[in-house]
Amino acid sequence: MDAVLRKIIAELNEAAAEHDAGQQDRLDRWRVLEPDAGEFLWFLAQSVGARVIVEIGTSRGVSTLWLADAARAVGGHVLSLDTDAEAQRHARRTVAEAGLEHHVEFRVEDGGAALARMPDGSVDLLFLDAERVEYPSWWPNPYRVLRQGGVLVADNALSHPEEIAPLRELLLREPHLTCTTIAVGKGELVALRR
């Protein structure tokens, strides 16, 4: 990752911290990915050779930048889904500023509905960073769309364990998944499809 992209991400993290500090309602916050969690995602995406990355929950595009840079390194692309059109407009501008627009497709769309239409085994890395309580209603699509060797990552595994617990239980029931929690950012629940 080059210095220009790191600077853009750092500036976005600073702006988000300033913005979020003044917001009482959680839904009004930008809730961007923490730098250590971003670096973890970036490393993981390249490690598994993730050419097809699906991100559900764009926010302001910090995670999108990390994932798009990883995708660029392996000749892949990111599909970023969010129901917040304004957040996606902001993320689109930032991704273009970083020169990564050819590696990202943005869609204002419900993540669960999008997953339901995706083919089996078509996703290398699925990153879930949306409304956590909705994940179980999307089942079994988050598992179904993963290719063998593909990885699912869900943010907020340590900051909101009670909201992630139903997804964790579903993942643990699948005999072809190996799950763990990585203590970076707000905690990343990670599942590898064997």
Side-chain angles (χ1 to χ4, degrees), residues 3 36-37 63 70 72 75-76 88 94 96 98-99 103 132 141 155 161 171:
D36 59 341
S63 55
R72 173 174 58 183
Q88 282 217 328
T94 304
H103 298 280
R132 297 168 291 276
N141 296 316
D155 195 28
L171 294 171

Side-chain angles (χ1 to χ4, degrees), residues 40-143:
F40 168 73
L41 267 185
W42 177 81
F43 178 81
L44 182 64
Q46 291 179 78
S47 297
V48 300
R51 295 174 51 87
V52 178
I53 299 171
V54 176
E55 167 186 56
I56 301 179
T58 307
S59 183
R60 298 295 163 145
V62 171
S63 55
T64 314
L65 290 168
W66 285 107
L67 291 168
D69 190 63
R72 173 174 58 183
V74 298
H77 72 278
V78 177
L79 170 60
S80 186
L81 304 162
D82 202 301
T83 56
D84 184 341
E86 176 56 32
Q88 282 217 328
R89 279 192 289 278
H90 187 277
R92 184 176 279 117
R93 286 192 304 271
T94 304
V95 165
E97 177 188 345
L100 292 167
E101 66 273 18
H102 300 298
H103 298 280
V104 182
E105 176 188 351
F106 291 98
R107 278 195 221 151
V108 177
E109 184 175 0
D110 175 76
L115 284 175
R117 290 191 310 277
M118 291 180 191
D120 292 359
S122 61
V123 175
D124 300 316
L125 188 145
L126 173 60
F127 179 53
L128 302 178
D129 194 13
E131 291 303 310
R132 297 168 291 276
V133 296
E134 293 181 17
Y135 301 161
S137 69
W138 300 350
W139 200 258
N141 296 316
Y143 169 72

